[in-house]
mmCIF file of all heavy atoms in Angstrom:
data_model
loop_
_atom_site.group_PDB
_atom_site.id
_atom_site.type_symbol
_atom_site.label_atom_id
_atom_site.label_comp_id
_atom_site.label_asym_id
_atom_site.label_seq_id
_atom_site.Cartn_x
_atom_site.Cartn_y
_atom_site.Cartn_z
ATOM 1 N N ILE A 231 114.337 94.999 98.947
ATOM 2 C CA ILE A 231 114.149 96.410 99.309
ATOM 3 C C ILE A 231 114.584 96.651 100.716
ATOM 4 O O ILE A 231 115.326 97.622 101.077
ATOM 5 C CB ILE A 231 112.746 96.904 99.100
ATOM 6 C CG1 ILE A 231 112.406 96.874 97.580
ATOM 7 C CG2 ILE A 231 112.506 98.260 99.653
ATOM 8 C CD1 ILE A 231 110.939 97.108 97.260
ATOM 9 N N ALA A 232 114.160 95.687 101.646
ATOM 10 C CA ALA A 232 114.564 95.846 103.059
ATOM 11 C C ALA A 232 116.021 95.765 103.288
ATOM 12 O O ALA A 232 116.648 96.503 104.019
ATOM 13 C CB ALA A 232 113.815 94.750 103.863
ATOM 14 N N ASN A 233 116.676 94.844 102.519
ATOM 15 C CA ASN A 233 118.116 94.665 102.710
ATOM 16 C C ASN A 233 118.863 95.946 102.146
ATOM 17 O O ASN A 233 119.867 96.301 102.697
ATOM 18 C CB ASN A 233 118.630 93.404 102.061
ATOM 19 C CG ASN A 233 118.365 92.185 102.817
ATOM 20 O OD1 ASN A 233 118.489 92.108 104.006
ATOM 21 N ND2 ASN A 233 117.993 91.025 102.149
ATOM 22 N N ALA A 234 118.371 96.501 101.078
ATOM 23 C CA ALA A 234 118.953 97.659 100.511
ATOM 24 C C ALA A 234 118.872 98.843 101.481
ATOM 25 O O ALA A 234 119.733 99.637 101.611
ATOM 26 C CB ALA A 234 118.305 97.976 99.251
ATOM 27 N N PHE A 235 117.668 98.952 102.163
ATOM 28 C CA PHE A 235 117.529 100.002 103.148
ATOM 29 C C PHE A 235 118.583 99.820 104.298
ATOM 30 O O PHE A 235 119.173 100.786 104.706
ATOM 31 C CB PHE A 235 116.136 99.935 103.728
ATOM 32 C CG PHE A 235 115.838 101.024 104.774
ATOM 33 C CD1 PHE A 235 115.391 102.294 104.430
ATOM 34 C CD2 PHE A 235 116.046 100.746 106.140
ATOM 35 C CE1 PHE A 235 115.143 103.239 105.373
ATOM 36 C CE2 PHE A 235 115.799 101.673 107.146
ATOM 37 C CZ PHE A 235 115.405 102.989 106.724
ATOM 38 N N VAL A 236 118.671 98.622 104.784
ATOM 39 C CA VAL A 236 119.634 98.398 105.885
ATOM 40 C C VAL A 236 121.063 98.667 105.503
ATOM 41 O O VAL A 236 121.826 99.290 106.265
ATOM 42 C CB VAL A 236 119.516 96.859 106.419
ATOM 43 C CG1 VAL A 236 120.588 96.602 107.422
ATOM 44 C CG2 VAL A 236 118.132 96.669 106.983
ATOM 45 N N GLN A 237 121.438 98.308 104.317
ATOM 46 C CA GLN A 237 122.793 98.525 103.822
ATOM 47 C C GLN A 237 123.014 100.114 103.716
ATOM 48 O O GLN A 237 124.096 100.645 104.048
ATOM 49 C CB GLN A 237 122.974 97.998 102.415
ATOM 50 C CG GLN A 237 123.167 96.486 102.475
ATOM 51 C CD GLN A 237 124.289 95.969 103.328
ATOM 52 O OE1 GLN A 237 125.379 96.529 103.215
ATOM 53 N NE2 GLN A 237 124.091 94.957 104.138
ATOM 54 N N ALA A 238 121.955 100.854 103.338
ATOM 55 C CA ALA A 238 122.094 102.320 103.164
ATOM 56 C C ALA A 238 122.199 103.024 104.534
ATOM 57 O O ALA A 238 122.764 104.132 104.600
ATOM 58 C CB ALA A 238 120.863 102.885 102.399
ATOM 59 N N THR A 239 121.660 102.449 105.559
ATOM 60 C CA THR A 239 121.725 103.089 106.860
ATOM 61 C C THR A 239 123.071 103.112 107.505
ATOM 62 O O THR A 239 123.391 103.878 108.387
ATOM 63 C CB THR A 239 120.826 102.433 107.883
ATOM 64 O OG1 THR A 239 121.188 101.108 108.218
ATOM 65 C CG2 THR A 239 119.328 102.397 107.355
ATOM 66 N N LYS A 240 123.951 102.185 107.091
ATOM 67 C CA LYS A 240 125.312 101.934 107.727
ATOM 68 C C LYS A 240 125.130 101.534 109.188
ATOM 69 O O LYS A 240 126.058 101.680 109.957
ATOM 70 C CB LYS A 240 126.156 103.214 107.584
ATOM 71 C CG LYS A 240 126.249 103.748 106.249
ATOM 72 C CD LYS A 240 126.871 102.810 105.233
ATOM 73 C CE LYS A 240 127.062 103.432 103.852
ATOM 74 N NZ LYS A 240 127.538 102.524 102.805
ATOM 75 N N GLU A 241 123.985 101.147 109.583
ATOM 76 C CA GLU A 241 123.679 100.655 110.903
ATOM 77 C C GLU A 241 123.396 99.161 110.887
ATOM 78 O O GLU A 241 123.085 98.575 109.906
ATOM 79 C CB GLU A 241 122.451 101.344 111.503
ATOM 80 C CG GLU A 241 122.567 102.816 111.645
ATOM 81 C CD GLU A 241 123.089 103.210 113.006
ATOM 82 O OE1 GLU A 241 123.397 102.279 113.834
ATOM 83 O OE2 GLU A 241 123.171 104.391 113.364
ATOM 84 N N THR A 242 123.648 98.550 111.952
ATOM 85 C CA THR A 242 123.393 97.054 112.116
ATOM 86 C C THR A 242 121.982 96.887 112.622
ATOM 87 O O THR A 242 121.789 96.658 113.844
ATOM 88 C CB THR A 242 124.310 96.329 113.019
ATOM 89 O OG1 THR A 242 125.678 96.602 112.565
ATOM 90 C CG2 THR A 242 124.217 94.786 112.921
#
Side-chain angles (χ1 to χ4, degrees):
I231 293 170
N233 282 323
F235 179 89
V236 172
Q237 290 298 315
T239 67
K240 309 300 183 184
E241 295 270 2
T242 308

